[in-house]
Amino acid sequence: GGDAFRSAFFNALSMSFPVGEQYFMDSVRNGLKTLPTAEQKKYDAEVRAFVGQEATHRRVHLLFNNHLHALGYKNEIERRTLRRLKSNAHRDVRMHVAATAATEHFTAIFANWVLRHPEALEGAEPCGCGPALKSQNIAVWRLTFTKQLVVT
């Protein structure tokens, strides 16, 4: 839309998402495995839906990021994130689920702001806001799921 800052900002966000989405999927799946069987059954369908949604987000951002790569952009964010994830892989699964819930909550807040301030995307090509709306709506169950992991 003719605004270099906004383009760079949203490109950088997109570049950070595929690794993050995979981390979220892995964290929540691993967290589910630590719950008692009855609790696993309680959250299984929601976790599967969450993983499906995150996989879709990951794929869409990978496609866009491939376009950015073809334009000559280098994804340094991804490399730094992978190093950080590797250095924290040994931590308790609850920390990973909590980090996922916190990041998703922040994403929901940001998505809500963007949806209330359409001028932030003024001049941008249509991209669909379904994922942003979904992120906002499912943040509550993630916090509930995280609380269950921390208490267990």
Side-chain angles (χ1 to χ4, degrees):
D3 185 321
F5 174 80
R6 280 191 295 175
S7 294
F9 179 77
F10 284 106
N11 288 348
L13 281 177
S14 183
M15 288 179 179
S16 74
F17 289 158
V19 170
E21 303 284 5
Q22 187 64 54
Y23 172 73
F24 300 159
M25 290 185 288
D26 294 343
S27 297
V28 171
R29 279 191 293 230
N30 291 335
L32 182 67
K33 293 175 190 175
T34 68
L35 294 175
T37 304
E39 293 298 314
Q40 287 182 29
K41 290 178 182 176
K42 178 179 176 181
Y43 289 106
D44 183 64
E46 289 180 84
V47 167
R48 281 187 281 117
F50 170 76
V51 168
Q53 174 186 303
E54 297 302 294
T56 299
H57 293 171
R58 184 176 184 276
R59 181 179 179 279
V60 168
H61 285 285
L62 278 171
L63 291 171
F64 181 73
N65 293 350
N66 288 340
H67 172 70
L68 292 175
H69 181 75
L71 294 174
Y73 289 86
K74 298 204 182 327
N75 193 343
E76 290 296 325
I77 294 169
E78 183 176 78
R79 282 191 276 274
R80 288 194 330 240
T81 302
L82 287 169
R83 280 194 305 267
R84 191 173 309 122
L85 291 175
K86 185 177 179 181
S87 70
N88 286 291
H90 68 283
R91 299 196 187 278
D92 188 290
V93 68
R94 292 173 294 183
M95 190 282 301
H96 295 289
V97 173
T100 295
T103 305
E104 290 286 356
H105 186 69
F106 176 76
T107 301
I109 292 168
F110 179 66
N112 179 272
W113 182 88
V114 169
L115 292 172
R116 287 184 296 112
H117 295 89
E119 67 276 7
L121 298 175
E122 189 176 305
E125 294 181 28
C127 63
C129 292
L133 291 171
K134 288 180 184 175
S135 292
Q136 187 177 353
N137 291 335
I138 62 177
V140 172
W141 87 258
R142 291 182 190 151
L143 294 173
T144 302
F145 179 69
T146 303
K147 180 179 177 188
Q148 177 62 37
L149 278 175
V150 172
V151 171
T152 300

